[in-house]
Amino acid sequence: MRPSGRQPHEMRQVSFEPGVAKHAEGSCLVRFGDTHVLCTASLEERVPPFLKGGGKGWVTAEYGMLPRSTHERMRREAAQGKQSGRTQEIQRLVGRSLRTVVDLRALGERQISIDCDVLQADGGTRTASITGAWVALHQCIEWMRARSMLSGPVLKDHVAAISCGIYKGQPVVDLDYAEDSAADTDANFVITGKGGICEVQGTAEGEPFSEDELSALLGLAKSAIADLVIRQKEAVSA
């Protein structure tokens, strides 16, 4: 039995609240159970130096956790003078995931910066960030379209992410903190609306996992992400 009482295939309650940030071109407050992440998208009329003059745009991301998003207060990384390796790894993952579904040439020489700020953490913050960031990105692109800044489609597909793991010998989806901290295997899947796999991160915390177990986790992830894409569509059409 899972600590939450959920079935192996059952996600936590998921919600998207787009347009929550007054000043951002795009925003979304995403909730996966008690994990809450504010995602904002900001348009900049510039690109990184390595893209200047190439006719292509860029999508990048930053990620951070508020000091009391966890059980005990964390020091702000700015106070420590540097980002942790975990923070850098997650924000690169978010940026990579979003760029897989963006036509950077159609964006023009502009950059969209996604900020993912974890307000409350209970497992799966990186996957919630990716999933909510897509909604914020979509809003930003529609903001541009409404101002005749784009001549063609920019978003090629949806992208969403989910955590899966093996908890007490059972493959389960959408791990909360209680499961994540005790899982035998922890994995994150980033998948597009068409079912294309962008990234798989999997780690055995104890005994190595088998190919059959990996297939079971992938099956759970694909089903969950298909549902998340439906919810994304509902959020951006509301």
Side-chain angles (χ1 to χ4, degrees), residues 25 41-51 56-62 99 104 107-114 137 140 144:
E25 285 75 39
S42 302
L43 177 64
E44 300 173 85
E45 289 289 343
R46 64 178 183 85
V47 290
F50 70 90
L51 284 176
K56 295 171 63 176
W58 193 243
V59 176
T60 189
E62 293 187 13
R99 289 193 296 272
L104 295 175
L107 185 60
E109 288 199 31
R110 304 180 180 99
Q111 175 169 286
I112 298 176
S113 296
I114 308 292
L137 177 63
C140 181
M144 296 170 67

Side-chain angles (χ1 to χ4, degrees), residues 108-141:
E109 288 199 31
R110 304 180 180 99
Q111 175 169 286
I112 298 176
S113 296
I114 308 292
D115 288 289
C116 300
D117 293 293
V118 179
L119 310 181
Q120 185 169 281
D122 186 37
T125 62
R126 73 184 66 197
T127 51
S129 294
I130 292 167
T131 308
W134 185 91
V135 175
L137 177 63
H138 181 279
Q139 272 208 329
C140 181
I141 290 169

Side-chain angles (χ1 to χ4, degrees), residues 1-13 32-33 35 71 121-124 162-187 203 205-206 217 220:
M1 175 67 71
R2 305 178 70 175
S4 62
R6 290 179 286 143
Q7 295 299 311
H9 66 279
E10 191 178 355
M11 288 189 293
R12 292 171 287 180
Q13 185 173 353
F32 278 57
T35 289
H71 294 94
D122 186 37
I162 197 73
S163 64
C164 296
I166 299 174
Y167 177 76
K168 294 187 176 180
Q170 174 72 56
V172 296
V173 71
D174 191 22
L175 282 68
D176 57 25
Y177 179 78
E179 293 172 323
D180 188 36
S181 59
D184 302 316
T185 296
D186 181 24
T203 304
E205 302 292 346
L217 295 177
L220 286 170

Side-chain angles (χ1 to χ4, degrees), residues 71-89:
H71 294 94
E72 296 181 358
R73 185 184 187 275
M74 301 184 303
R75 288 189 66 200
R76 295 182 189 272
E77 291 187 338
Q80 301 177 59
K82 64 177 182 178
Q83 291 180 316
S84 69
R86 176 182 180 275
T87 293
Q88 294 181 53
E89 185 264 323

